[in-house]
Amino acid sequence: MKKNILSIVLILITGITVAQKNQRIAYIDMEYILQSIPAYLEAQNSLDAKVEKWKARLDKEARAIEVLKTDLTNEKAILTKDLIEEREEDISIKQESLRRLESLYFGPNGDMYNLRKQLVKPVQDQVYNAVQTIASRKKYDFVFDKSSDLVMLYSNKKHDISDLVVQMINIDQRRQAKKDKIEAKKSLLKNDNLSDEQKEKIAKREELKKKKEADRLAKIKQIEEKRKQRLEERANKRKLLQEKRKALLKAQEEARKKKEEETKENK
């Protein structure tokens, strides 16, 4: 009976091992990918600006309430009971209003959630679509997100497809920009009968598009340069740590030898 159970366990272990060998696994660094997409950075900056404005308003309201509380504390001795209750009620109303405003801005379905969905989610969806396309083409069974709550104690760089995702998104964006350019040319050909003023407006729009595309490419280049710099800094840090470790081991070895020599001399 025991032999049969052992045989079943061995078969299961062997089956799992074989299955694992046939599985293809990759991972991405979502934070790195998003930081490499100018559209996401622009959306995040817009969101951050709104959040700062909301926080400033909430802080202003909170400070005003604190002033009312301080004034009430200082003047309580000279106020009648009815006036004290009136002011306390006024403070309570303002506090409740502040809580509602905070919920309106930062609640589960508040303005921040809706604005994030409007600005950031399309870019995140683009990333997910790119990941799915790559996983399908490369026949990956699993794709993990290194920047999520998943604990990755070790990750081999060869399984990182983050750069591949960024490249795919950039290709899609360039393809879309090319389509837009072709459509713009077609539109110009169709509108030969436009007035000079209308043609000037169209030309300005095209110039603005070109400027935005140039800015986008410049940002991509800047991001790539920063990433390269970070990688170099990490490599230098690793090298420095290795040198320090070697020096420490050498010092420990020399101290050990010295101690052994002193022990021999004492004998």
Side-chain angles (χ1 to χ4, degrees):
M1 183 65 180
K2 287 183 179 179
K3 287 183 179 179
N4 290 336
I5 292 170
L6 182 61
S7 300
I8 292 168
V9 171
L10 287 172
I11 290 168
L12 287 171
I13 292 171
T14 306
I16 291 168
T17 306
V18 171
Q20 286 177 339
K21 285 181 179 178
N22 293 331
Q23 287 176 349
R24 286 172 57 80
I25 297 172
Y27 70 91
I28 62 167
D29 187 341
M30 182 64 83
E31 288 182 7
Y32 162 70
I33 292 170
L34 292 176
Q35 292 299 319
S36 301
I37 301 173
Y40 175 82
L41 296 176
E42 288 171 11
Q44 191 63 51
N45 288 337
S46 299
L47 180 61
D48 291 343
K50 279 283 186 183
V51 168
E52 286 303 315
K53 192 180 289 185
W54 294 334
K55 283 182 178 178
R57 184 178 174 185
L58 291 172
D59 288 342
K60 185 179 178 182
E61 296 290 334
R63 285 196 300 271
I65 291 171
E66 288 302 316
V67 170
L68 291 176
K69 285 182 178 180
T70 303
D71 290 345
L72 178 59
T73 302
N74 294 335
E75 298 170 10
K76 215 167 192 178
I78 60 172
L79 295 174
T80 64
K81 185 180 178 181
D82 290 340
L83 283 174
I84 291 171
E85 288 177 356
E86 186 180 328
R87 287 204 186 182
E88 285 176 345
E89 186 180 356
D90 184 41
I91 290 169
S92 180
I93 290 169
K94 287 184 182 297
Q95 285 176 326
E96 182 59 32
S97 176
L98 179 61
R99 282 193 289 270
R100 283 199 300 268
L101 187 61
E102 188 174 8
S103 179
L104 179 68
Y105 288 151
F106 302 110
N109 294 307
D111 291 344
M112 189 177 78
Y113 171 80
N114 292 324
L115 189 60
R116 179 182 289 278
K117 190 175 179 181
Q118 179 186 341
L119 293 175
V120 178
K121 194 174 182 299
V123 182
Q124 290 177 329
D125 289 343
Q126 197 174 12
V127 173
Y128 289 130
N129 291 336
V131 169
Q132 288 176 359
T133 301
I134 292 168
S136 177
R137 289 178 183 174
K138 299 282 188 179
K139 300 188 185 304
Y140 289 119
D141 296 292
F142 300 99
V143 179
F144 298 102
D145 179 9
K146 187 179 180 181
S147 60
S148 68
D149 293 334
L150 176 68
V151 179
M152 296 184 72
L153 299 178
Y154 172 76
S155 56
N156 194 321
K157 185 65 181 172
K158 71 178 183 180
H159 300 305
D160 187 356
I161 60 170
S162 302
D163 287 323
L164 198 58
V165 173
V166 173
Q167 287 171 15
M168 178 168 284
I169 292 171
N170 288 335
I171 289 168
D172 289 340
Q173 289 179 347
R174 283 197 292 269
R175 191 181 291 123
Q176 186 60 45
K178 193 174 181 180
K179 284 182 182 178
D180 293 342
K181 195 173 181 181
I182 292 168
E183 289 298 322
K185 284 182 179 179
K186 286 180 180 177
S187 180
L188 284 172
L189 290 172
K190 287 179 183 178
N191 298 323
D192 284 337
N193 296 324
L194 292 175
S195 65
D196 291 340
E197 186 180 351
Q198 288 172 323
K199 288 179 180 179
E200 188 179 349
K201 285 181 180 179
I202 292 171
K204 283 181 179 179
R205 280 201 297 269
E206 287 301 311
E207 189 65 30
L208 185 61
K209 279 184 182 179
K210 287 179 181 178
K211 185 179 181 302
K212 283 184 177 179
E213 179 63 15
D215 291 342
R216 188 182 71 81
L217 293 173
K219 283 181 180 178
I220 290 173
K221 186 178 179 182
Q222 188 180 14
I223 289 165
E224 289 175 350
E225 288 174 353
K226 283 183 178 179
R227 182 171 182 267
K228 186 178 178 181
Q229 185 180 352
R230 285 199 301 270
L231 291 172
E232 287 177 356
E233 286 173 357
R234 286 177 188 172
N236 291 333
K237 282 182 181 178
R238 281 198 298 269
K239 186 179 178 182
L240 185 63
L241 286 170
Q242 287 173 353
E243 289 174 354
K244 284 183 177 179
R245 189 182 175 191
K246 285 180 181 178
L248 180 63
L249 290 172
K250 186 178 179 181
Q252 289 175 343
E253 181 64 21
E254 288 175 354
R256 186 183 63 78
K257 287 180 179 179
K258 187 177 179 181
K259 192 174 181 181
E260 286 177 355
E261 288 174 0
E262 288 175 352
T263 303
K264 287 179 181 178
E265 289 175 359
N266 291 332
K267 286 180 179 180

